[in-house]
Amino acid sequence: MATETVTGLGAVEAFALVGVLGVGAQWLAWRLKLPAIVLMLAAGLIVGPVLGVFDPARDLGTLVQPLISLAVAVILFEGGLTLDLHKLGDARKGVMRLVVIGAPLGWFLSTAALHWGAGLGWEASTVFGGIMVVTGPTVIAPLLRQAKLQKRPANLLQWEAIVNDPVGALAAVLAFEFVLVGREAESLPAALTQLGVGIAIAMAVGIVAGAAISYAFRRAFVPEYMKVPVLFATLLATFAFPNMMLHESGLLAVTVMGLIIANADLPSFEELRRFKEHATVLLVSGVFILLASSMDFASLGQLTWRAGLFVALVILVARPLTVLISLLGTGLPRNEKILIALTGPRGVVLVAVAGLFGERLAAAGVSDGAVIGPLAFVLVLATVVLHGFTLAPLARALGLASKGRPGVLILGGSRFTTALGELLKREEVPVLIADPNHARLLRPRTAGLPVFYGDLLGEAAEDSLEILSFETLIAATENDAYNTLVATDFGSEFGRDQVWQIAREKGARARHSLPSQLGGRPFGGGKTFGELEDLMKQGWRITATPLTEDYGFDQWKEERPHALLIGRLASGGVFKRFLQEDAELLFPRRAEAAIEALPEEQRESAREALKRRRTDLRLNAARGRMSAGVKLVALVPPESESKRAEDQGDERSEKPADGQSR
């Protein structure tokens, strides 16, 4: 008789599979504008219990639980590292209420829903109820950007998720330790003493570790290239040491450590922020794939109709009551309270911590502990799918969604940017001109454009600007270094492809060129600030000309041989820059002229590169971007053919902007 042999993956192959599936699911979610947690959950279930390709217990053995524990520790440290209390802004009062009042109240109501709804015992309900305080910053952030909420409700939801992330985990740790110590200790006083000592040690270790890192980094005791490794090693030690005194109390220690570092105002904090962002993306992906692939359909089969009752009680009773009671007397409008009350997606911390503590409780003899993991999966799946598809319509129905098209944030109040702002405003594209020089804002303010006086990198901008309402940044001040600094900083916020910058003085010279990761994408036809201002003084204008089936790009180019095409208004009124590769393909004479202007030793390689780019596929793609329905935004000279084209273009609704004060 043949015997079926089940072979698993090796450890290396298993780690590779987890990385590819986790990061791949997050990337696919970004492309499809879907909640990443749903795709990660689906990927883990497919390769795990559905196909049986990957079984963490089989393929990784005893490494699974330590890996998940360490990953949860880093995720909670990231939550603490995000708690910069100076950035709460006008959401401070509401956030404090949602934490001080909402967290304990949510813990109590969630525990009640678990006990009377899901039928869990009080021990398991209390531990899981603490975890359910978490609303998931890794889930809420993409939902907020997709829904385009107004600033205050978006801030409240995001900061509640950030602050309650470690608070919920801490509540779970406290409840778990109380249950565990209560079962092992000889008496209640002994249990409370052991619990108090463990918590005190964990908090002390976290405070000391955070203060030590802050002091060492500020006094330059650690070189720049070693700061992230030192931070990571300290994080691991901070997590491991308290666990020797009290199980899982290391989670509290790393959260406190992150909180101390976040509020230390370190000059090197940006590098630490990048570390925690990159580490969190990898670890969130890994934890979800590990937990989902470990899921046993038999354990899901243990769930009854009471699981559905539990989810309904959480969404329709526990969450609304928690928010509405917490926000009493804050003066927030009723619609904002309703939106926040009906929005509470759960995320990776809930699933990771629930799975971890569920197994710990089951091992300690709490029979209901085995049900916590499946219940967490059901709750996360239900809330993410529900809020992922209803948040935007609900916000629009309550009048709390940012209205209109994606906005354009312009840095610099010059003749050129004022003319561009006027044109975009007439095309119903939201626009805001910002400048740290008050005098530079006189022209756009006189033209009736919205302005912001101050530094876009300062706290005032962060507090008062609704960044979520903008998708594009154009850096166009006279200060090239400032343009590069702002464009580089906003690249991670808007995405590199949506941050544009006018040409720098001497930027084409080899000794003045910058790495590609600095600054924004080219904008303004390759012209510098001074060149653009000179053109505007000479009477050049910015126009928007619609293309039709009868009036195409070739005719437009023939009528305006000297025009500088700087962008296009795509269908839906979204403003997109004109790509440099399109310029080389659609304006071949200009591309050849630009090569001739290069130093002789660079011309041959530039010609070869241009030849490689001139393929039919790329040319067709460039022409496709100039199809009917698109409006070409260009800087046109004050010459006779342009004026004649404008006179003939009335039926084409060409709209010029001269940038002059009106």
Side-chain angles (χ1 to χ4, degrees), residues 361-527:
L361 286 174
V366 179
S367 58
D368 293 335
V371 187
I372 290 181
L375 276 177
F377 269 104
V378 171
L379 179 63
V380 167
L381 186 60
T383 56
V384 169
V385 172
L386 174 66
H387 298 307
F389 291 104
T390 63
L391 181 57
L394 178 63
R396 288 194 294 269
L398 295 172
L400 297 175
S402 296
K403 301 178 177 63
R405 300 166 177 174
V408 177
L409 180 58
I410 302 177
L411 178 62
S414 63
R415 288 178 173 84
F416 171 72
T417 57
T418 301
L420 178 60
E422 288 182 281
L423 183 138
L424 293 176
K425 183 180 178 182
R426 282 199 298 273
E427 294 292 339
E428 299 181 354
V429 177
V431 63
L432 176 71
I433 295 183
D435 203 304
N437 187 333
H438 192 273
R440 290 284 188 186
L441 293 175
L442 178 60
R443 188 182 302 275
R445 187 183 287 112
T446 304
L449 296 173
V451 299
F452 171 78
Y453 167 55
D455 194 332
L456 280 184
L457 302 177
E459 291 185 4
E462 191 168 354
D463 292 339
S464 58
L465 290 185
E466 292 193 19
I467 298 297
L468 286 175
S469 62
F470 299 100
E471 286 190 353
T472 300
L473 171 73
I474 301 174
T477 71
E478 70 277 19
N479 188 328
D480 288 336
Y482 183 60
N483 290 340
T484 302
L485 180 63
V486 173
T488 302
D489 187 78
F490 274 77
S492 59
E493 178 74 21
F494 289 172
R496 293 290 178 189
D497 289 340
Q498 293 300 109
V499 176
W500 312 332
Q501 180 180 350
I502 59 173
R504 298 182 301 110
E505 295 285 349
K506 304 179 182 179
R509 301 182 186 178
R511 67 174 59 247
H512 295 287
S513 62
L514 294 176
S516 58
Q517 63 266 29
L518 295 180
R521 304 284 76 82
F523 180 77
K527 300 295 184 181

Side-chain angles (χ1 to χ4, degrees), residues 59-99:
D59 301 331
L60 296 177
T62 57
L63 289 175
V64 176
Q65 285 309 315
L67 284 174
I68 293 178
S69 297
L70 287 173
V72 172
V74 177
I75 292 169
L76 290 182
F77 170 73
E78 186 269 344
L81 202 61
T82 316
L83 297 178
D84 187 347
L85 303 179
H86 299 96
K87 296 182 179 180
L88 284 173
D90 63 350
R92 180 182 300 273
K93 185 177 181 180
V95 171
M96 295 309 294
R97 288 287 196 93
L98 288 171
V99 174

Side-chain angles (χ1 to χ4, degrees), residues 3-55:
T3 303
E4 183 179 358
T5 303
V6 179
T7 59
L9 299 174
V12 175
E13 292 83 0
F15 280 121
L17 180 64
V18 170
V20 170
L21 289 177
V23 177
Q26 294 219 35
W27 175 82
L28 186 61
W30 167 75
R31 293 288 296 177
L32 300 178
K33 299 187 184 303
L34 293 173
I37 193 171
V38 175
L39 295 184
M40 289 188 290
L41 183 62
L45 290 174
I46 290 172
V47 299
V50 174
L51 299 178
V53 174
F54 175 51
D55 181 357

Side-chain angles (χ1 to χ4, degrees), residues 162-185:
I162 291 171
V163 178
N164 274 351
D165 196 20
V167 169
L170 171 59
V173 169
L174 295 178
F176 173 75
E177 295 298 342
F178 186 78
V179 171
L180 204 62
V181 172
R183 283 177 167 262
E184 295 176 354

